Structure formats: structure tokens, C-alpha cells
Amino acid sequence: MALQARPLRADAVRNRDSLLAAAKQVFGERGLDAPLEEIARRAGVSIGTLYNHFPTREAFFDAILPERLAALELIAEAAMADPDPWTGFTGFLEGLFALQAEDQSLNDALARRLSLSEEVRASCHRGFELAARVIERAKESGALRADFGVQDLPLLVSAMSQVIRESADAAPQAWRRCLSFFLDGLHR
Amino acid sequence: MALQARPLRADAVRNRDSLLAAAKQVFGERGLDAPLEEIARRAGVSIGTLYNHFPTREAFFDAILPERLAALELIAEAAMADPDPWTGFTGFLEGLFALQAEDQSLNDALARRLSLSEEVRASCHRGFELAARVIERAKESGALRADFGVQDLPLLVSAMSQVIRESADAAPQAWRRCLSFFLDGLHR
DNA sequence: CAAGAAATTGAGGTGACCCTCAACTTCTAA
DNA sequence: TTAGAAGTTGAGGGTCACCTCAATTTCTTG
């Protein structure tokens, strides 16, 4: 989009990179509501500099989340590559939730995508588009119940996001059990 | 327990009642993290008076939640009264989540019961004990898969709590669809 | 109707986080 | 090398919610 009229100064580039790295870490650990001051601290930069580079929390999201959300597309493609439509489908969900489990920022982003920027929403949407194909294929094969649709995915994501969040410390694998209940309910 | 040495003054009784009523309302609408100032405001009482009667947020919880959570026991008993163990079981879950859907304070309480007081935890526990019997009966009848247990209930509650919370405004019945997927996964 | 006990009040201190901006430092390009 | 543009800094002001306590009001009892 708006390409830099003047290139950034060398120290500014360094700071921007540190901020992005710190933001990925902090949001990944503590979710999208993590305090921005923690990011500045971890980047070794003052809070003023943080605001200079990223005037809003959403600016961070736009800079970080689309790239991360692209992983969704890889997972969906891998699912389509699976010769068995059903294991492709289950593999997709496992991949999706494993992603959410290992990065709180993705977990939050997918769960409350509605309240995020146009740009981030578009990234989620792209992933869900591909998911739609995985779902359609599984339905056509008869392995996935006919009344399940993409529109149900957000429901699943929302439900699982909470299980992942709550059990992250005590039982980081608990979401797998929960998912297996769901999958058994979806299988034909 | 500790019964009042001196009875409360008439105005104090009135204020205490207003506070409890306001707290039920406010927590019910906005969840257990609602600002206490809102409760004082709605009770028509100063913040100081609120703290005089309920020195901590937990004091409110102890005064409100056990009574509300007793509804769980009724629901479980109704489930046991159902001649069909499976519909008893599904009825129990529907009742439970309907309860969570109509009262955010219960939704929160059940989802994060671990971080609440001994007393509230005990109330949840009592409900879950009865649930265990509903679950056992359904398993023995062969209608509920054998590898499901009470220990899985918190998982379900946690998952559903989020769906309920998120869809409360936009699609207040969405949780029913989510539940039906689960139930199909649990049915034999 | 006192007088004293009980209860209420709300301004104000604390803390977490947000965000701004005037003064200062660092970089760059001539 | 140096002037001026670019970037950085962090104290400080704003918000919101928590919680306290000295001063004040209201109730109760003899």
C-alpha cells in the first residue's frame, strides 16, 4: 500500500523490528490484550517509540496477524491433499486448534475476529474460504454429516478457544479430547 | 454459621437487601467481573456502604452463587426422574446450559469455578455429583458412550460457556446447535 | 428526647494501563 | 564536519476500577 516516501532511518528500522518481534512474543504468550508497555520493555525501547511506529494496538495486529493466519491456508491445503476427505477434515481441525493452542494471539484473533480490523478479518476469511472446500469435500464423500457447514466453524472455534485458553497451563492436551467428542458428533 | 451477635439496624438490612438485589442483576447481566461501583449505584447506596456489607467481591459471590447454583440440583433431579436415561442426560445438559445462557454470573461461575471461593466451589461440586449419577445411568443404559465421564463435564462447560458468552447478543440460540453436535458425538 | 452506638458517605489515595508531546539525541547527506 | 531532519525519550495527564477512613448522619434504646 502506502510505500515509504523516505526510507526509515537505520535505527528506526532496528527499533521497528525489535517491536514486531517483541509483539509477536508477548501477544503469543498473553493474548491480544497484553499491555503494550510490556512489548516496549521487551523490545528495549521507550513507550513513545512504540507509539511512533504503531499508533494503535490494531496497527500491531495488522502487522502481525495476517502473516500468522496464512498458516491456516497451508493447513487447509494439506487437508485437501489428503486422499481421504474425512481424515483431511479432521486433520484440518486438529491443525487449526494446534495452531490456536501454541499461540494465544491466534486463539484470540480467531475467537473474536469480528471486533478486529478489516484487514485481519479478511485474513481469517481467506482461511475459512479454504476450509469451506475441505468441509464440502468431506460432506460429498458422505463422511461428514450433511447439515454441517462453514457457518458452524466459528462456533467450533469459539468453543475450542476457551478450552484451549483455560487448560493451557494445567492440561495442555485437553482440547484434543474435547475435539474428539465434536468429531464423533460430526462423523457419519 | 457466624450468626449476628447484635441484629442489623433497620436501614442496614434494607441496604444489604438492595445491594444483593443489585448484585444479582449486575452480575447476571455483565458477568462476575462487573464493576462493584455499578452495583452500589444501582442499589442507591454509596461505595463505602457496599464495602461495609461486602468487604470483597468474593463475599458477594458467596452470598449469591450457592443459591443460584442450587438450580443445578433441581435440573439433575429432573433428569433422574426421566424414565429414559439418554433423554434424561440430554435434558440435563440443556437445562444446565440454558441456565448459563440466562445468567452470566452462573456462566462465569461454572467456567472458572477453580478460581472461586471454597464455598462456591462446593456448590458447583454438589451439582456435579448429581450430574455424575445422570451420566452413570446413561452409560449403563448403553446410550452414552462408555469413555465419557464426569471429569469431561468441565470441558463441555468451558467450551459452551464461551459460545454462550459470544453469541448472547447476536444469536442467543446458537449454543443449542453447538450442543447438538456434542450430543451426537456422545450418543451410542 | 437525648446520647451513644451503628451505619453511611464520598473524596481521595493506589495501581494498571493508555496515550501525548516538548525536549533531547542520533543519524544522514551534503 | 556539521546542520537539520528524523527519531527517541519518559514524565505526566487521562481513565477506570479498586479500596479506605475521618467526618457525618441515622437509628435505637433507656
Side-chain angles (χ1 to χ4, degrees):
Chain A
M1 313 278 148
L3 63 161
Q4 225 63 44
R6 306 267 153 200
L8 283 180
R9 233 168 65 175
D11 55 344
V13 171
R14 244 183 295 119
N15 286 336
R16 191 167 198 284
D17 289 348
S18 305
L19 280 165
L20 276 178
K24 283 176 193 169
Q25 251 189 252
V26 171
F27 288 139
E29 289 166 14
R30 315 198 12 189
L32 296 182
D33 292 328
L36 299 180
E37 251 128 11
E38 167 78 10
I39 293 174
R41 214 182 48 66
R42 241 189 257 194
V45 132
S46 86
I47 186 66
T49 295
L50 180 149
Y51 278 98
N52 180 36
H53 288 286
F54 300 96
T56 64
R57 185 179 288 271
E58 286 65 40
F60 274 115
F61 296 167
D62 289 347
I64 289 175
L65 293 178
E67 184 189 0
R68 292 270 156 131
L69 287 166
L72 264 189
E73 294 166 46
L74 296 183
I75 293 170
E77 272 155 25
M80 287 305 281
D82 190 320
D84 178 346
W86 173 253
T87 61
F89 173 70
T90 62
F92 170 74
L93 289 184
E94 260 163 44
L96 167 59
F97 297 132
L99 211 62
Q100 290 181 221
E102 79 189 15
D103 187 331
Q104 272 307 307
S105 72
L106 282 182
N107 196 31
D108 284 358
L110 289 164
R112 2 161 173 148
R113 98 212 84 80
L114 300 170
S115 58
L116 299 176
S117 76
E118 190 51 49
E119 191 170 341
V120 174
R121 277 212 305 283
S123 287
C124 294
H125 194 69
R126 218 168 305 129
F128 280 20
E129 290 287 280
L130 291 175
R133 287 172 42 207
V134 176
I135 288 168
E136 282 314 312
R137 191 172 72 123
K139 273 161 76 170
E140 277 160 23
S141 81
L144 175 57
R145 56 193 278 174
D147 68 339
F148 187 83
V150 220
Q151 74 282 1
D152 293 314
L153 201 50
L155 220 55
L156 270 197
V157 165
S158 170
M160 293 296 292
S161 80
Q162 182 67 5
V163 173
I164 288 167
R165 203 172 289 119
E166 290 234 318
S167 62
D169 298 327
Q173 298 299 312
W175 64 267
R176 293 187 184 275
R177 182 159 175 85
C178 198
L179 175 59
S180 79
F181 294 145
F182 262 128
L183 288 178
D184 287 352
L186 298 176
H187 201 181
R188 274 295 136 267
Chain B
M1 310 278 148
L3 64 161
Q4 225 63 42
R6 305 268 152 198
L8 283 180
R9 233 168 65 175
D11 56 344
V13 171
R14 244 182 296 116
N15 286 336
R16 191 167 197 285
D17 290 348
S18 305
L19 280 165
L20 276 178
K24 282 175 193 170
Q25 251 190 251
V26 172
F27 288 139
E29 288 166 14
R30 317 199 10 191
L32 296 183
D33 292 328
L36 299 181
E37 250 126 14
E38 167 77 10
I39 293 174
R41 213 180 50 65
R42 239 188 259 194
V45 132
S46 85
I47 187 65
T49 295
L50 181 149
Y51 278 99
N52 180 36
H53 287 286
F54 301 95
T56 63
R57 183 178 290 271
E58 286 65 40
F60 273 115
F61 296 167
D62 289 347
I64 288 174
L65 293 177
E67 184 188 1
R68 292 269 157 132
L69 287 166
L72 265 189
E73 293 165 46
L74 296 184
I75 292 170
E77 271 155 25
M80 287 304 281
D82 190 319
D84 178 346
W86 174 251
T87 61
F89 172 69
T90 62
F92 170 75
L93 289 185
E94 260 163 45
L96 166 60
F97 297 131
L99 210 63
Q100 290 180 220
E102 81 189 14
D103 186 331
Q104 273 308 306
S105 71
L106 282 183
N107 196 31
D108 284 359
L110 288 165
R112 4 161 172 147
R113 98 213 84 79
L114 300 169
S115 59
L116 299 176
S117 75
E118 190 51 48
E119 191 169 341
V120 175
R121 276 211 307 283
S123 286
C124 294
H125 194 69
R126 218 168 305 128
F128 280 19
E129 292 285 282
L130 291 176
R133 286 172 43 207
V134 175
I135 289 168
E136 281 314 312
R137 191 172 73 123
K139 272 161 76 170
E140 277 159 21
S141 81
L144 174 57
R145 57 194 276 175
D147 68 339
F148 187 83
V150 220
Q151 74 282 1
D152 293 314
L153 201 50
L155 221 54
L156 270 197
V157 165
S158 169
M160 293 296 291
S161 79
Q162 182 67 4
V163 173
I164 289 167
R165 202 173 289 121
E166 291 232 319
S167 62
D169 298 326
Q173 298 298 313
W175 65 266
R176 292 187 185 275
R177 182 158 175 83
C178 199
L179 175 59
S180 80
F181 294 145
F182 262 127
L183 288 178
D184 287 352
L186 299 175
H187 200 181
R188 272 295 135 265

